[in-house]
Amino acid sequence: MKAIRRFTVRTVLPEQLQPLHELALNLRWSWHPETRELFRSVDPEVWAAVGEDPVRLLGEVPAATLAALAADRRFLRRLGDLHDDLRDYLAGPRWYQSAPPVGDGGSPLPEAVAYFSPEYGIAAALPQYSGGLGILAGDHLKAASDLGVPIIGVGLFYRHGYFRQSLDREGWQQERYPLLDPDELAVSLLREDDGTPCRVDLALPGGRTLAAHVWRAQVGRVPLLLLDSDIESNTPADRDVTDRLYGGGSEHRLLQEMLLGIGGVRAVRTYCRLTGHAAPEVFHTNEGHAGFLGVERIRELVAPAAQGGRELDFAAALEAVRAGTVFTTHTPVPAGIDRFDRDLVARHFSGDAAMQGVPADRVLALGAESWHGGDPTLFNMAAMGLRLAQRANGVSTLHGEVSRSMFNGLWPGFDAAEVPITSITNGVHAPTWIDPAVVRLGAGQIGAERAEEAITTGDAKRWTGVERIGDEEIWEVRRLLRSQLVDEARRRLRVSWGQRGAGEAELGWVNSVLDPDVLTIGFARRVPSYKRLTLMLRDRDRLRSLLLDPERPVQIVVAGKAHPADHGGKRLIQQLVAFADDPAVRHRIVFLPDYDMAMAKHLYPGCDVWLNNPLRPLEACGTSGMKAALNGCLNLSILDGWWDEWYDGRNGWAIPTADGSGPERLDPDSPEAERRDDLEATALYDLIEHQVAARFYDRGSDGLPHRWIAMVRHTLVTLGPKVLAGRMVRDYVEKLYAPAASAQRSLAATGHAGARELADWKARVREAWPAVRVEHADAEGCREAQELGSALELRVQVSLGTLEPADVEVQVVSGRVDESDGISDAAVLALKPAGGPDLEGRYRYEGSLELGRTGPFGYTVRVLPAHHLLASTAELGLVALPPESAGMDAGVLR
């Protein structure tokens, strides 16, 4: 029989134990070992049974146990100390509170930042994530908390979270979506002063209203607001808008993203009103899913003053919103971007659903694929995100390059290198992902306080001293971590086989699966085709020989989930499981279902090598290898994402990438892709056999692999500071948040006069630009060959139409040229106005171009819009270049 109603019966804590409730509701416990240990000591058996979840622990621990603890002076002292520690952590100044102003003008840091993401991986006990995007968002909030950055997180509350994974007897992925009860989670309902739940409403077509309540999770110092549509006032269909991550059809996804963006801004305003939290000056859109937040902020500004708005026109409001918005793209391929039918979007911003002062055609223009080759019938969420943000970034150096090429069409006339998308390489939250044994290893050399600072801030100076850790100490910890993984893998494998229908009598072999003294390789991630889960199976005989080598055996632990609708990914899992089921190798290779944060905390530290073999350059960053490196695990990876910029030859191995270019190389069904996979798989086998395993088993007279340990130590010392989320968040603050806040203040001053002025200037420049021309350019003394160190005196004449010299910048762009005279490694020099207008209205510009390199060299000139409030000269996408038939001096020197 099924219950007709479900509710939670909470334990009433004795007065002496009330601080446990506060500790449980602040998710700092998920990265604070001392607090987790306190909860474990309440009742170790219940703690394990509830998945190390403090809220569930307090709901299920026997009352007699609580009564005994309330009389235990030692426990109460620990509880009091940790409660005081939490309060000090929440209230005391941290890095942000003492950080100096940023930039030449010394602009103060933002009073607050709103961070929007469709998913958050904070802890396994709050399953609101599916993969790397959510884990990154969770690490961003946790690092911001540790640094004292005043961030407000915004997301959706998914009643079913992401799916739980199991396998059937044939190794086919099975999904189940357990219902999450908020009363059993570390969240609380945001309420008005009178105690009623706060409510956010969105107008929908047909006169419907989508309503949502707001759950608040406290992530250390950072509030995380999660919108929940499962409330009684909604229709059954609308209650399901926030049912699960990345589920449903196109309209379902659109409603999720409207609720996240539009509803999220309204939730932030409500939270600030109720709590007195500073209003955000910067809005950070983590991927395009939350892009509609910019539309809502425009609506706020165009609304009449009587409704709290500023009564700006749409163009001025757009400039004000752009100035304070940061957009981060995580996808390296167009197929990874959310795109909706244009008519579907139009319907949700027209008629009954129209937003006052925000015409539907202006919304549609924000997401239009207006570039050559774009689809005019689709609305592109990434395009909207970029148009609504004055600052944008990719998540690794290589991904920044890929993003500039992918979105080049939004800035016509500019080379990809000048597209205004920068990069900030992702990082991981060390206190979450580093094993306590590794922390103790470092603390033994540099002290506990400095070790805590080192893994929090990402300051390389604080890591000084880690290089003195001895070989024996490192190897002892590495073996301990490997042993912990072996035990956890056996436990999970037994559960998995039980789910697949095996009886206990069939599972005796599980007790000998894996070996704590064997080289252990880990591979765990989502299972789209480009991550190539089964590349290791390319030559199965070769893989078997590596696994079963009598002198230098290898063992592999694999995990990962395929999207429920991705049958290709499910087939890859089934192929891997079928190989791992073979009795001849099943003690050396295992697939562990239900990959999540709880599993990852054993997997990353316990592996000796972390394998990553995506199709380059389709891995935007790939932070799993960072988490492994923090624990002294060496990376074995294609040079993609973060590994492309930080691999140095001593911290792991680079898998060679097969030659080839163009779409054929990335098409899994093309002959070139077959050849590519064969070559790269062979390179992988060779590396494992001749370099990785050879070094791991190369032991000295004391039984230690000293050269291997040297690589582990080098990894900890050099990669440790780089891969930290603390370093990443500091980069965001200094490179993006602070400049965005400064720009926002400039435009908002004196009733948004700056926004109005900038919008009017842009409109004037766009209207006048067709008349802007480079009329003539010459270089005095220019010859076919020039001497190194000499200079060319350039003179350029330009027509500006109705514009003034203050509206533009005239530049010479120079650099190395190829056979078709294309300029690379370009340098830009601004020329100075030297006269005009002449009788024909032309202005003259001059400058000296120094020739500081040998070989084929060339230059061109161009005119760009210029304004002190632009973040980039490419911002408007306007440029005037010399006409090819102008008869100007040759701009190529050889």
Side-chain angles (χ1 to χ4, degrees), residues 340-617:
F340 297 105
D341 183 87
R342 179 183 170 90
D343 292 339
L344 176 67
V345 176
R347 189 164 69 250
H348 282 79
F349 285 90
S350 304
D352 295 335
M355 300 176 75
Q356 185 177 7
V358 184
D361 63 326
R362 302 299 296 265
V363 176
L364 293 173
L366 292 171
E369 295 191 355
S370 55
W371 53 85
H372 177 71
D375 189 335
T377 69
L378 294 179
F379 184 92
N380 187 303
M381 293 296 290
M384 177 175 66
L386 289 164
R387 289 184 173 118
L388 283 169
Q390 195 174 42
R391 288 162 180 83
N393 69 286
V395 291
S396 69
T397 300
L398 178 60
H399 180 238
E401 296 174 10
V402 171
S403 299
R404 288 188 286 275
S405 295
M406 187 165 71
F407 295 112
N408 201 170
L410 285 167
W411 289 272
F414 290 87
D415 291 341
E418 293 187 288
V419 167
I421 299 176
T422 185
S423 63
I424 291 179
T425 302
N426 282 343
V428 298
H429 185 245
T432 295
W433 300 110
I434 194 167
D435 192 273
V438 180
V439 177
R440 291 192 295 271
L441 184 67
Q445 277 297 330
I446 64 176
E449 185 175 345
R450 231 184 83 200
E452 181 179 350
E453 293 176 352
I455 65 175
T456 298
T457 63
D459 184 347
K461 292 182 292 186
R462 289 182 168 86
W463 287 69
T464 302
V466 174
E467 70 278 2
R468 296 193 299 267
I469 301 174
D471 285 11
E472 189 171 348
E473 297 170 90
I474 291 176
W475 192 241
E476 182 180 346
V477 168
R478 291 300 315 147
R479 191 183 189 283
L480 169 67
L481 299 177
R482 204 181 307 115
S483 298
Q484 290 176 179
L485 173 58
V486 169
D487 291 342
E488 178 69 5
R490 291 174 181 174
R491 184 188 70 79
R492 287 179 175 269
L493 198 61
R494 187 175 295 276
V495 171
S496 175
W497 275 93
Q499 293 171 336
R500 296 176 70 183
E504 188 63 31
E506 301 176 64
L507 298 179
W509 60 273
V510 173
N511 295 328
S512 60
V513 164
L514 306 181
D515 185 327
D517 291 312
V518 167
L519 170 64
T520 304
I521 298 176
F523 183 102
R525 49 192 40 86
R526 291 184 302 110
V527 190
S529 59
Y530 79 87
K531 291 182 183 285
R532 296 192 295 182
L533 169 72
T534 55
L535 186 69
M536 66 180 77
L537 301 183
R538 201 74 185 170
D539 184 339
R540 300 185 181 210
D541 290 338
R542 184 81 184 274
L543 178 59
R544 286 190 189 93
S545 69
L546 293 172
L547 297 172
L548 303 176
D549 189 294
E551 296 182 358
R552 301 191 304 202
V554 171
Q555 58 193 16
I556 306 177
V557 182
V558 184
K561 293 179 176 180
H563 187 281
D566 182 7
H567 292 283
K570 292 182 181 181
R571 280 192 294 273
L572 296 178
I573 291 175
Q574 187 178 45
Q575 292 168 21
L576 193 289
V577 171
F579 181 86
D581 282 352
D582 183 349
V585 297
R586 65 187 181 186
H587 64 299
R588 288 282 186 257
I589 181 169
V590 296
F591 180 87
L592 303 180
D594 210 24
Y595 177 46
D596 65 359
M597 292 182 73
M599 181 194 296
K601 288 188 177 184
H602 292 277
L603 192 51
Y604 297 131
C607 291
D608 299 294
V609 174
W610 196 255
L611 174 62
N612 191 27
N613 46 232
L615 285 176
R616 188 180 194 272

Side-chain angles (χ1 to χ4, degrees), residues 184 224 295 321 457 511 617:
E184 295 179 349
L224 171 58
V295 177
V321 166
T457 63
N511 295 328

Side-chain angles (χ1 to χ4, degrees), residues 72 74 90 209 287 295 319 325 580 610 821 849 858:
D72 185 334
R74 180 178 297 179
L90 296 177
T209 297
E287 197 45 273
V295 177
E319 295 306 326
T325 303
W610 196 255
D821 293 340
L849 175 61

